[in-house]
Amino acid sequence: VLGVGGTKGKKPNPRKDQFKRNQAAVGAMDEFKDNVAVVHTDRLWDQEADAVFQQGWKEHPDDWAAVGSDRPYHYLGSVKCYNRMGGAFANALIELIDRKRKANSSPHEGSSSIPENFKSNNLVAWCIVPFDAKNRGPADRAEMVRRLGLKRVAYDWREKNIPEFEQEILEYRKNGLEYFAFWGWHDSMEALIKKYGIKPQIWEMYRGQLPDGSDAEHVKVVAQQFLPIAEKAKSLGLKFGIYNHGGWPGEPANLIAVCEELRDNHGLDNVGIVYNFHHGHEDVERFDEKFKLLLPYLICLNLNGMADLKTADGDSNASQILPIGSGVHEAGMIRTVLESGYQGPIGVLGHRADLDAEESVGLNIKGLHKLVEGM
């Protein structure tokens, strides 16, 4: 992708920016899947040579001769620029070759016994923004997801991430990633959704304490909290996902009751359920039964390794949220999912602030494929 001027040119150039986005979009086309890599050469621009050029290359010939040999339209004639780009192209080719080799030889990714929604290119990266020991920004995060072989991201955020919302969308687009879901509504997203034509699922959990009352009254209270955002989602053509997060609102039967309240009594046919293993420890003993009830409502299912709460530290994510394949309950739960015939989206979890998100998600992908292949 064109890199002249670097990531921040001397002055804004919307036409050049659009041209670069169009170039990057080629890599996301189905016909070029796994056969085309996108290299963003603007990140490899030689800032030292650029600084000399900007102060006047003709007026500083000795300084210029040490760093460049041409005008900006030839990447300043900078050895650094060409060396970095050559290395990046080579690494991109190696990655493509390795990916094809693994697909052809691995008993996991290439196996026909792995359902389509469990394969890497269909999995959704989840809980990778605030849960990342490397504290990546939008560009590094998007590249990380691409390296993992994933194509979809569900975006969770904190207050400090709000100024990055638009950049996150742009980086996903550059890297051929789908902005699959947005967790926890923020009003600034409405304009961005319209501007970029993205269609993320909107995920929301119930916030606050439920007042005293019957189950039926609780259903009304929870539905009322979700109602404005669910209506907003429908007006934007988006699915709205009720997110299980423990307690009464996270119990599968109650999730279903709230979902039906919004569908039947408010005409919101865009409403479904997002079920997370890591918030479903209380459902383990009767998971077969509960999952059958949830199945018709699911719009996404997020997986991780499941500790036994009887022995886990209740205050530690690290002791409860384990890599898939290293827990004691997820194998049986995933078998239930496979036997149900569920073909919807599958998310793989980060949610470990003590780990590099690339490591935590990577362990889950590897463990998931090994587990599923063995079933």
Side-chain angles (χ1 to χ4, degrees), residues 237-364:
L238 311 177
K239 292 181 179 179
F240 177 85
I242 304 171
Y243 184 96
N244 70 313
H245 202 268
W248 188 96
E251 160 62 36
N254 300 330
L255 290 167
I256 293 167
V258 173
C259 184
E260 290 182 339
E261 168 72 14
L262 290 168
R263 288 182 178 185
D264 298 343
N265 295 331
H266 297 278
L268 295 171
D269 55 1
N270 62 318
V271 175
I273 292 171
V274 178
Y275 186 83
N276 301 266
F277 272 22
H278 68 294
H279 291 304
H281 283 87
E282 303 301 327
D283 302 326
V284 168
E285 292 185 5
R286 296 170 54 203
F287 185 73
D288 287 13
E289 172 190 335
K290 294 185 177 186
F291 190 75
K292 287 176 184 176
L293 297 175
L294 286 169
L295 191 58
Y297 303 89
L298 280 180
I299 60 173
C300 191
L301 175 67
N302 296 322
L303 310 179
N304 59 276
M306 297 286 284
D308 192 328
L309 289 189
K310 295 174 183 176
T311 57
D313 177 359
D315 296 323
S316 169
N317 278 344
S319 72
Q320 297 181 43
I321 301 174
L322 307 175
I324 295 174
S326 64
V328 295
H329 297 298
E330 71 272 15
M333 297 169 73
I334 290 172
R335 184 176 290 105
T336 294
V337 174
L338 290 169
E339 290 174 352
S340 76
Y342 173 70
Q343 297 179 3
I346 298 285
V348 285
L349 207 62
H351 210 293
R352 288 283 300 276
D354 58 315
L355 293 180
D356 173 356
E358 188 163 5
E359 179 184 357
S360 56
V361 175
L363 287 171
N364 271 324

